[in-house]
Amino acid sequence: MSPAAEAQAPLLPSDTKHAAAAADERPASVSGAVFNVSTSIIGAGIMSIPATLKVLGVVPAFVLIVVIAWLADVSVGFLMRFTHAGQSVTYSGVMRESFGAAGSVAVQAAVMITNLGCLIIYLIILGDVLSGSKPDDGSVHMGVLQEWFGSHWWNTREFALLFILVFVLLPLVLFRRVESLKFSSAVSVLLAVVFVGISSALAILALIEGKTNSMRLLPELEDKSSFFNLFTAVPVIVTAFTFHFNVHPIGFELGKPSDMILATKISLVLCAAIFFAIGIFGYLLFGDSIMPDILVNFDRSSGSGTFSSFLNDTVRLSYALHLMLVFPLLNFSLRSNIDEFLFPKKPLLATDSTRFISITIVLLVITYLAAIAFPNIWYFFQFMGSTTAVCLAFIFPAAIVLRDVHGISTMNDRIIAAIMIGLAVVTSTIAISKNIYSMSENTT
């Protein structure tokens, strides 16, 4: 194991010198890593999982979740092995060792685009919960604040998001170590479990009352278009399982490399179970009327009575709080990659308060403006899952294995890597083509 493997990095340092600066920090715990990895996975992606079941059917969706979770575990293993075989302590550094400066820039660009897109999605969902949504089908879904207090200037999407950004998110993103967020990450995972628990209770209650919707076990393939439409669900699940940009900042705060592998496996099993559970219960509750953001369905129109309204509000608010706690974890990776990209020769970001705060404020402003301008999460999932997210999760790790600059790949590794790249390229190409075709039809 190289000296770099024993460093514990507070953010995403660009070299071993930066990693050494944090070497005197106490190692993080495996449980803290599990919570941080799980928080990275269970972000906004879970909101669109039920919609993928509507597109794919229950059985194919379950198989796809399991396969993508397994491939994510394999790709993390690839990353960690090649990290410890070399001298780099970041994802971009590992790519630099394999493909030079172009590889490093490719990873940095993909991480920045993916993380920025995820942060924008989080704010869009928070806006949906607090201030409601008006989908393209002409329906109106009221937000929690509007249902409680009526429509006012202070509970509009613009003002509500601004308040959350300044008084909730800003204090959290000012933490300078990932380990500092382990308690908020633990709470966020608990809130995700609460969300699944209440959703399951609502589904069981509806089942007892005979009000559930029928589920399709297999997709309906009426024509060629419906077949290609299946591929548009793949990027959503890929994006949901893309957490690879946090592997290094979380992993190098642990004492041993094997701890990160263990934390990843536990997190993937936990998150895959949560994803499938919320997919089933959400599909039972809302059927084919389910929205890309399932929280939109949990307004007062989805149930009657005080108790039902209370549960609906609890579901929305618990997950809104979960996203507020996930937000700073992704912000860590995004902010550090931007700093490494723009200021590669500057001191460690956590030690430079001016640079740290400046980048933080600029990112918050950009995510806020984008969330106001583009209030639909499905298109963000489609774009990221077909481009940057699939590169980070599968294509880049597999390419590192095939390049094998350290001579540690086995034949099985190369076969799996080649299959991984082939599947990623084919499914992404079809999904992109389908979306371009759909957009061209909508404009004509």
Side-chain angles (χ1 to χ4, degrees):
M1 181 172 63
S2 67
E6 299 176 358
Q8 300 130 27
L11 291 173
L12 279 179
S14 58
D15 51 35
T16 54
K17 178 188 72 174
H18 286 166
D24 58 344
E25 297 282 355
R26 186 175 61 182
S29 62
V30 174
S31 60
V34 169
F35 284 127
N36 282 330
V37 172
S38 299
T39 302
S40 298
I41 299 173
I42 306 177
I46 193 173
M47 295 297 99
S48 290
I49 293 295
T52 64
L53 265 70
K54 179 179 71 173
V55 174
L56 294 172
V58 175
V59 175
F62 173 76
V63 172
L64 190 60
I65 289 173
V66 171
V67 169
I68 291 179
W70 174 71
L71 289 175
D73 179 51
V74 171
S75 62
V76 168
F78 288 161
L79 276 179
M80 295 306 292
R81 281 171 52 197
F82 278 83
T83 297
H84 298 304
Q87 296 297 314
S88 295
V89 295
T90 67
Y91 195 160
S92 62
V94 176
M95 280 289 285
R96 184 186 296 112
E97 289 180 349
S98 296
F99 298 99
S104 176
V105 171
V107 167
Q108 289 174 324
V111 168
M112 288 186 283
I113 294 172
T114 300
N115 282 8
L116 183 61
C118 287
L119 295 181
I120 293 170
I121 287 172
Y122 292 172
L123 289 187
I124 292 173
I125 294 175
L126 289 174
D128 290 343
V129 170
L130 299 175
S131 303
S133 173
K134 296 180 180 179
D136 295 335
D137 60 6
S139 60
V140 176
H141 294 268
M142 302 293 287
V144 172
L145 294 179
Q146 293 168 330
E147 290 178 348
W148 289 357
F149 306 106
S151 297
H152 302 281
W153 65 267
W154 54 266
N155 59 20
T156 60
R157 177 182 290 262
E158 294 81 0
F159 189 85
L161 286 182
L162 182 62
F163 182 88
I164 293 298
L165 216 64
V166 174
F167 294 102
V168 179
L169 298 180
L170 180 58
L172 289 174
V173 299
L174 290 179
F175 283 113
R176 305 197 182 197
R177 292 191 75 237
V178 176
E179 177 69 5
S180 302
L181 294 171
K182 67 178 180 181
F183 296 111
S184 63
S185 294
V187 173
S188 71
V189 173
L190 176 62
L191 288 171
V193 173
V194 169
F195 168 69
V196 174
I198 296 178
S199 299
S200 63
L202 289 172
I204 293 172
L205 182 62
L207 188 63
I208 294 174
E209 296 176 350
K211 297 180 180 179
T212 55
N213 293 273
S214 59
M215 296 189 299
R216 290 194 301 271
L217 295 181
L218 298 173
E220 293 182 351
L221 301 177
E222 300 175 350
D223 50 32
K224 185 188 299 183
S225 178
S226 61
F227 171 75
F228 287 110
N229 196 46
L230 300 178
F231 291 88
T232 63
V234 178
V236 177
I237 301 178
V238 169
T239 304
F241 279 105
T242 300
F243 62 99
H244 300 62
F245 37 73
N246 275 331
V247 166
H248 290 85
I250 295 173
F252 279 107
E253 287 186 357
L254 295 170
K256 298 183 297 183
S258 58
D259 289 345
M260 185 59 191
I261 301 298
L262 175 62
T264 299
K265 291 182 182 297
I266 295 173
S267 300
L268 285 170
V269 171
L270 172 65
C271 294
I274 291 176
F275 281 165
F276 189 67
I278 193 58
I280 288 291
F281 294 131
Y283 199 3
L284 277 173
L285 282 172
F286 305 114
D288 288 339
S289 66
I290 201 161
M291 305 295 295
D293 175 7
I294 189 177
L295 291 183
V296 172
N297 290 98
F298 284 99
D299 60 357
R300 288 184 179 175
S301 64
S302 65
S304 59
T306 303
F307 183 66
S308 179
S309 296
F310 170 76
L311 288 180
N312 287 341
D313 291 346
T314 303
V315 166
R316 288 188 287 176
L317 290 176
S318 65
Y319 211 81
L321 182 56
H322 164 77
L323 291 181
M324 294 179 199
L325 297 177
V326 175
F327 190 97
L329 194 61
L330 284 189
N331 186 79
F332 257 93
S333 179
L334 175 59
R335 177 175 53 204
S336 303
N337 272 270
I338 289 176
D339 179 71
E340 183 181 347
F341 184 74
L342 297 178
F343 310 105
K345 297 183 180 180
K346 293 284 187 178
L348 188 65
L349 178 61
T351 64
D352 189 332
S353 296
T354 301
R355 204 166 82 251
F356 181 89
I357 294 175
S358 298
I359 295 176
T360 299
I361 297 299
V362 169
L363 286 177
L364 290 181
V365 171
I366 292 174
T367 53
Y368 171 76
L369 294 176
I372 297 300
F374 307 102
N376 191 314
I377 67 172
W378 189 255
Y379 299 115
F380 280 100
F381 278 130
Q382 289 291 312
F383 171 74
M384 293 189 301
S386 301
T387 54
T388 57
V390 73
C391 287
L392 289 171
F394 304 125
I395 293 178
F396 290 165
I400 291 171
V401 170
L402 295 178
R403 185 79 167 182
D404 195 16
V405 294
H406 301 298
I408 61 174
S409 295
T410 65
M411 180 58 69
N412 286 339
D413 291 336
R414 296 190 188 95
I415 293 174
I416 293 174
I419 294 174
M420 192 180 294
I421 291 178
L423 290 174
V425 170
V426 170
T427 55
S428 296
T429 301
I430 295 176
I432 292 172
S433 301
K434 172 61 178 177
N435 285 324
I436 292 175
Y437 176 74
S438 299
M439 291 174 62
S440 64
E441 276 194 331
N442 291 335
T443 57
T444 57

